[in-house]
Amino acid sequence: MVDVVILAAGRGSRMCSSVPKVLHKVAGLAIVDHVIRSVSSIAPANVVVVASEAVMTREYCGCEVVLQSAQNGTADAVMRAIPYIRSEEVIIVCGDLPLLTAEHLEELTNSKADIAFIATELPCRLMRMPYGRVITKDGRFVKIVEYADAADSDKKCGVINTGIYKFKTSLLAEMLRKVEKSEATGEYYLTETLGIAQRLGMTISIVENGDYEAFHGVNTMKDLAIAEGIMQNRIRNTFMDLGVRMLNPESTFLSYDTEMESDVTIEQNVVMGTGVKIRGGAIIKAFSYLEDCEIGANTSVGPFARIRGSSRLERGVTVGNFVEVKGTMLGENSKAKHMAYLGDTYVGSNTNIGAGTIVCNYDGVNKHKTNIGANAFVGSNTTLIAPLNIGSGAIIAAGSVITENVENNSLAIARTAQSVMPNGAEKVWAKKGKHIIK
Ligand code: UD1
Ligand code: MG
């Protein structure tokens, strides 16, 4: 059995942000939640070390949440977790590695050494990234030198510490007590324990993994942007492998929990926030923004559409340009093709919502619901003042302001009657001094 400790209490000062570093999101999920998910298949994380309960609570993550109120370094953070470690072995993972997956941890879990850690080799272009350097001599591990403390010759070494370790629990506390403060930063480094263990003759295994991108640590906003880019590519590739067509993958932005079936088509510049499910044959046209919604089979959304707030579009629905749909269900084959707002509305099947229809769901204090039946026709530029029921088969004349319920199969007209004065225009033109040639 192995326990897992996640270190997430760092100040994150290099982010220059008021948001704790590990709560910044990658593909819509907090960095630390990515780490919790990736370790969960080898062993559920049982301790997360945080700086405050604002970052994580036991109720939220289901694991022990330990506070490290003064950020004295990674060794100090692990020290806080020691009383909660029950198994003979413990895996320690830095909480700022959102691209890690369970596969990357497999080899580490199998190691029989007293201490094992994952190292990776950086390509030349990333050589200046300030990771801890793994120093070896004649193929044997010597120590890890933090970038801030490293000599120029050590900085040229491309093998870095990824921040993922496995310790025999019985040795860990002893090693931690021997760590001395870094002169450069005043912190106690967990990485020091490895050099100490080496000098004491313990067995140390370097588990090398070539997938350096997966161990990308987020320390700055630039690192966060890089992590987002790598994660987006991963998610895009997963969906393209499943038969989703993306006309320009680089401009399609997805979330960690996006679900799409094969034969979905995504045009250019589409963003999906969290909670989006799209069934096969749907097309999401350019410049659309979707979040928290279910899009049925063979629907057409956009261009320039916004769908959100637990909305559901059934099979064959069309939501066209400049249409916003919030908290709304559109039944099979219903259409809202141009410039409309549908909020907190239920629309039956085969109903047409005309251009410029606005559902007034908010009265400044409360939100109200609107029901529109099947086979109804809502004419263009209609204002529907909720709460409201429009029956099935009803017709609403264009330009109406509807404040009262409309029965099934009724025709409602709620607009000022038109009056026409024959030749009235002529008189007006004359007054203005303009003569009309007949
Ligand atoms: C750390 C490693 C470095 C490695 C790199 C990999 C140390 C000293 N260095 O450097 O060798 O190459 O990760 O990404 O461990 N944390 C706490 N309490 C603290 C300080 C940090 O919980 O007092 C947490 C942070 O929230 C973070 C993790 O520990 O999740 C690593 O800390 P960070 O400051 O990011 O260390 P790096 O400089 O990236
Ligand atoms: Mg880091």
Side-chain angles (χ1 to χ4, degrees):
M1 276 295 287
V2 62
D3 281 351
V4 178
V5 173
I6 296 175
L7 306 182
R11 272 190 298 271
S13 48
R14 286 169 279 176
M15 295 294 281
C16 302
S17 162
S18 56
V19 177
K21 174 170 83 172
V22 294
L23 291 189
H24 280 280
K25 289 181 178 171
V26 172
L29 185 71
I31 294 172
V32 64
D33 287 327
H34 278 289
V35 180
I36 290 175
R37 277 164 65 110
S38 62
V39 301
S40 67
S41 64
I42 51 153
N46 42 352
V47 187
V48 182
V49 186
V50 293
S52 93
E53 286 207 325
V55 175
M56 183 72 67
T57 60
R58 196 195 168 111
E59 292 71 44
Y60 176 81
C61 69
C63 34
E64 203 64 58
V65 171
V66 176
L67 295 185
Q68 184 201 19
S69 41
Q71 279 63 59
N72 292 326
T74 40
D76 179 67
V78 175
M79 199 61 128
R80 315 275 137 199
I82 292 271
Y84 304 92
I85 300 170
R86 306 261 175 269
S87 301
E88 281 172 17
E89 289 184 320
V90 56
I91 290 180
I92 299 172
V93 184
C94 286
D96 61 356
L97 307 174
L99 301 169
L100 198 62
T101 72
E103 264 171 48
H104 295 105
L105 299 169
E106 241 164 50
E107 209 183 326
L108 181 78
T109 52
N110 297 334
S111 166
K112 299 277 176 282
D114 293 326
I115 304 175
F117 70 100
I118 304 179
T120 191
E121 187 163 4
L122 292 180
C124 288
R125 70 187 164 83
L126 297 178
M127 205 57 86
R128 295 169 76 90
M129 292 294 278
Y131 295 113
R133 285 344 201 224
V134 179
I135 309 298
T136 53
K137 194 168 178 213
D138 305 326
R140 286 174 63 88
F141 174 77
V142 178
K143 60 181 175 178
I144 293 171
V145 181
E146 286 310 305
Y147 195 79
D149 305 316
D152 284 348
S153 56
D154 292 338
K155 286 179 182 166
K156 286 190 190 116
C157 151
V159 180
I160 60 127
N161 167 35
T162 62
I164 307 161
Y165 322 80
K166 191 177 76 168
F167 287 81
K168 288 206 166 121
T169 310
S170 55
L171 304 173
L172 180 60
E174 187 193 330
M175 294 298 106
L176 288 171
R177 275 193 292 274
K178 294 188 195 304
V179 172
E180 285 173 20
K181 217 185 242 186
S182 149
E183 278 180 21
T185 62
E187 290 189 6
Y188 295 89
Y189 298 156
L190 178 59
T191 44
E192 280 293 291
T193 56
L194 284 89
I196 296 167
Q198 164 69 16
R199 291 194 287 281
L200 294 175
M202 291 172 195
T203 52
I204 298 184
S205 156
I206 307 177
V207 177
E208 281 216 45
N209 189 308
D211 188 6
Y212 65 87
E213 266 191 353
F215 304 104
H216 172 78
V218 174
N219 297 313
T220 65
M221 283 293 181
K222 279 192 227 157
D223 294 336
L224 183 62
I226 291 167
E228 184 72 43
I230 296 170
M231 184 67 89
Q232 287 297 337
N233 270 334
R234 264 193 202 168
I235 303 174
R236 291 167 190 147
N237 288 336
T238 306
F239 282 115
M240 286 191 281
D241 287 344
L242 292 172
V244 170
R245 168 96 209 269
M246 293 183 198
L247 274 81
N248 177 225
E250 294 75 45
S251 71
T252 299
F253 295 89
L254 306 166
S255 283
Y256 78 99
D257 64 349
T258 304
E259 291 179 28
M260 289 191 277
E261 292 181 351
S262 79
D263 294 322
V264 166
T265 300
I266 313 286
E267 289 188 357
Q268 296 84 346
N269 297 297
V270 167
V271 177
M272 291 186 206
T274 54
V276 175
K277 287 186 188 158
I278 308 180
R279 302 239 171 269
I283 177 164
I284 313 298
K285 295 186 177 168
F287 298 98
S288 292
Y289 196 115
L290 281 64
E291 56 193 321
D292 188 16
C293 61
E294 278 185 56
I295 308 293
N298 302 324
T299 50
S300 172
V301 172
F304 297 97
R306 182 173 185 205
I307 320 272
R308 63 189 179 101
S310 302
S311 288
R312 201 169 89 238
L313 313 189
E314 299 277 342
R315 170 185 288 272
V317 160
T318 304
V319 166
N321 43 282
F322 307 108
V323 174
E324 177 173 356
V325 176
K326 187 227 101 180
T328 288
M329 205 303 278
L330 277 155
E332 237 177 274
N333 298 322
S334 284
K335 295 179 174 53
K337 292 183 85 160
H338 343 255
M339 299 168 290
Y341 172 63
L342 301 173
D344 303 317
T345 302
Y346 174 92
V347 181
S349 53
N350 300 306
T351 283
N352 190 83
I353 308 288
T357 296
I358 302 290
V359 173
C360 306
N361 60 323
Y362 185 50
D363 61 11
V365 180
N366 296 308
K367 301 269 171 74
H368 302 282
K369 294 204 183 312
T370 297
N371 282 302
I372 304 174
N375 302 305
F377 180 91
V378 178
S380 293
N381 203 29
T382 292
T383 301
L384 298 168
I385 302 187
L388 208 54
N389 282 309
I390 309 288
S392 293
I395 296 178
I396 311 292
S400 293
V401 177
I402 301 292
T403 57
E404 281 166 35
N405 293 344
V406 178
E407 297 297 315
N408 290 352
N409 304 315
S410 299
L411 167 67
I413 306 179
R415 62 187 185 212
T416 332
Q418 184 170 321
S419 66
V420 178
M421 290 170 229
N423 302 320
E426 237 176 86
K427 287 177 198 157
V428 175
W429 289 131
K431 253 192 199 169
K432 293 178 193 286
K434 189 171 172 186
H435 298 285
I436 305 294
I437 301 160
K438 287 194 183 170

